[in-house]
Amino acid sequence: MHLRIAHLYPRRMSIYGDRGNVTTLVRRARWRDIAVSVDEVEREDALEAKRYDLFFFGGGQDQEQDTVARDLAKKGPGIREAIRGGAAALAVCGGYQLFGRYYQPAEADRLAGIGIFDAHTEAGPRRFIGNVTATPEADGLGGIPLVGFENHSGLTFLGGTARPLAVVRTGHGNNGHDKTEGCVAGSAVGTYLHGSLLPKNPHLADWLLLRALRRRHTDLPGLRPLDDALEQDVNESLAGRAA
Amino acid sequence: MRHALALATARVLAAAARRRGGGATSLPGLAALKLDPGFIRRRSRRLAGSVVVTGTNGKTTTARFLGAAFGAAGRSVVHNQSGSNLLRGIASTLAAARLPSSGRKPWGVLEVDEATVPGACRELRPRVVVVTNLFRDQLDRYGELKRTAEYLRTGLASLPKSSTVVLNADDPLVASLGKGLKCRVRYYGIEDVSRSRPSLPHAADAVSDPKSGALLRYEAVFVGHLGHYRGTSLRRPKPQVRLTAFRTGGAVEVRSGRQTVGLTLKLPGTYNAYNALAALAAAEAAGIDVAKAAEAVSATTAAFGRQESVEVGGRAVRIGLIKNPTGADEVIRTLAEAPGKKRILVLINDNFADGRDVSWLWDTDFETLRGRTERIAVGGLRGRDMALRLKYAGFPTGDLPRYGSVEEALREELRQVPEGGTLDVLPTYTAMLELRRTLAQAGHVKHFLD
């Protein structure tokens, strides 16, 4: 078995340790003897989106996000097609915003998103910064808390057809009002949680891995369990600290 | 009158804090500024001039080098070395300093937090401002790197013609601050590319051209995103103070104008070469002869926690502060390049002064240490996160020692070090303070530096 990951715009959109998510996906696949390749895709590169089982898209600063949004006008349709065709995705913070319909900054032109999620984002008056604990809503996550660190001023609002990833217990989540955090569409997950997110939420890492692998191995029954004592310990201690 | 009252109050508070066994705090300065909002401006008139040192990494070491350079030139300095680098800390330092109204005035060498630069420029009217670099650090406090640059831009724009701004030519974001200023601008940088790395590390930021958004092209990378770069709308300025050759044993050659001087740095790592260059360029801007400054920098040892070594019962405890990915990468790279297998203790806290967000651990290349450790242990409030980071960096973590308190971690890990051996401790800022307290209580170091 072989897993192909596309890391979107790692040089421009990779702050707050988002790279750790890719490290985690790679390690957890290799520990199970699944071969993995990661292609880093920048504006300067061509993207053959249908080759990939999983897309990772991290957060960035405003200027970089602007550059990337322009390039996504070209690469977006391919990515959307691939995700509709069963590829998994994890988009964090700025990446999450651009996977929605649009992002409206405070004093600049609206950035078009690629509409994976029925959601839009507007610049907010303040920055939400701090630890987050949220209870997942999506199937297959067993209700085990998601823990991470948010740092955003954009407020994301889910549309009528969108499903949230989780309900916030501590922290602000999508917009600080409706208690939702992130979004799920098919096998694509959007979230504001840095941390890095996946190492301390191995259940979400495996959720993504399984769906990514099933794109081409539809009969795959499940993933071999790993010794996650340390991961669970970190998850529980953070969830406990927040409680 | 108000000023005299503010000064007296600050001194009483400082004396009371000392009696309780504390060191320099920001409380006296806070009180002084409450009683006299112009306290810093008035008090700093008793300085011959001041040099503000700011930037993400290297403030403390650069200021220390600079203090030595002033000393070599026969000038005394007032330095906020153990105080805070916010306005209140500067006020505390100025209140504590003896500044006679007559005689030769000392210089101020003041480390200033990036967000405090506008206030410090307004109040101190510094003769020289030196900017070391801008890396991703404490983003949970400032938001974004570009906002940090905006603070600096605001401060520098307010400086009069007679001031000099000293900028790192190799940092595209810092170098860009030199445009459109009223005052004089000097650049420093590394010309010798023999120590450069092949590509940008994961931790690098600010890699795209501000106008076109195209990624900067690097011919050489030294530390983080520092190097020889070129964008579509920007170009690395030619530095006036430049490192022209790295030689063996910490020896380097520096040129300023037509003058060439040799230095032998006691502190390892390319980042310390940058700190030395920053100090030389700033010293020169303050009127000190470069050769004299170079001699003083060569004789300077580490500041506490910056690769400083403390002897404990026949063993060395070497402390390398880590607080952001670029700084940590350099500490790790220097450690990995030293001969022999290391015994390492990583202490991660997430108190306010450390930054509450520990995600930077995942941007730091702990992988570099793989195969180079005899033993590795973790501790601190986020020791668990650190253990997890090591697991995903490919270290066996099944029986990784993990400690709650710094004191216990130090005691137990020192037990594992044979006589004459070294324990390398990599603490975050508040873990370093705890470490210092622990070492002080055991009588190995003094409580505070001043």
Side-chain angles (χ1 to χ4, degrees), chain A residues 51-122:
Chain A
R51 287 193 67 239
Y52 295 99
D53 307 309
L54 200 157
F55 294 88
F56 176 74
F57 193 7
Q61 310 196 40
D62 288 346
Q63 188 204 325
E64 277 72 29
Q65 198 173 349
D66 187 75
T67 306
V68 162
R70 285 165 211 276
D71 191 52
L72 270 180
K74 282 173 247 157
K75 294 189 172 89
I79 297 169
R80 207 165 43 223
E81 195 71 10
I83 290 172
R84 281 196 189 132
L90 176 64
V92 180
C93 201
Y96 170 37
Q97 293 170 350
L98 293 182
F99 265 15
R101 297 196 181 285
Y102 65 85
Y103 169 51
Q104 178 63 60
E107 287 159 10
D109 293 342
R110 181 176 285 196
L111 303 182
I114 62 172
I116 306 282
F117 303 118
D118 176 19
H120 71 272
T121 304
E122 284 162 20

Side-chain angles (χ1 to χ4, degrees), chain A residues 11-12 16-17 19 27-28 43 61-64 129 149 151 195-196 199-200 227 230-231 233 238 241, chain B residues 140 143-146 201 208-210 212-215 350 357 359 362-363 370 384-385 391-392 402:
Chain A
R11 292 242 71 101
R12 292 179 171 93
Y16 311 120
R19 177 173 295 276
R27 286 268 168 204
R28 295 183 73 81
R43 180 177 81 168
Q61 310 196 40
D62 288 346
Q63 188 204 325
E64 277 72 29
I129 300 174
F149 194 95
N151 187 342
S196 300
K200 12 186 175 278
D227 174 6
L230 185 56
E231 287 82 345
D233 188 18
L238 288 171
R241 229 161 81 136
Chain B
D140 57 329
E144 298 193 346
L145 196 58
K146 270 150 206 162
S208 60
D209 187 280
S212 68
L215 293 176
D350 67 345
D357 182 9
S359 59
W362 294 89
D363 283 322
R370 225 169 30 201
R384 281 186 182 88
D385 288 72
K391 178 176 176 179
Y392 283 86
R402 208 167 78 195

Side-chain angles (χ1 to χ4, degrees), chain B residues 139-153:
Chain B
L139 274 177
D140 57 329
R141 212 177 308 165
Y142 296 140
E144 298 193 346
L145 196 58
K146 270 150 206 162
R147 185 171 327 161
T148 310
E150 279 312 309
Y151 287 125
L152 298 187
R153 213 180 294 279

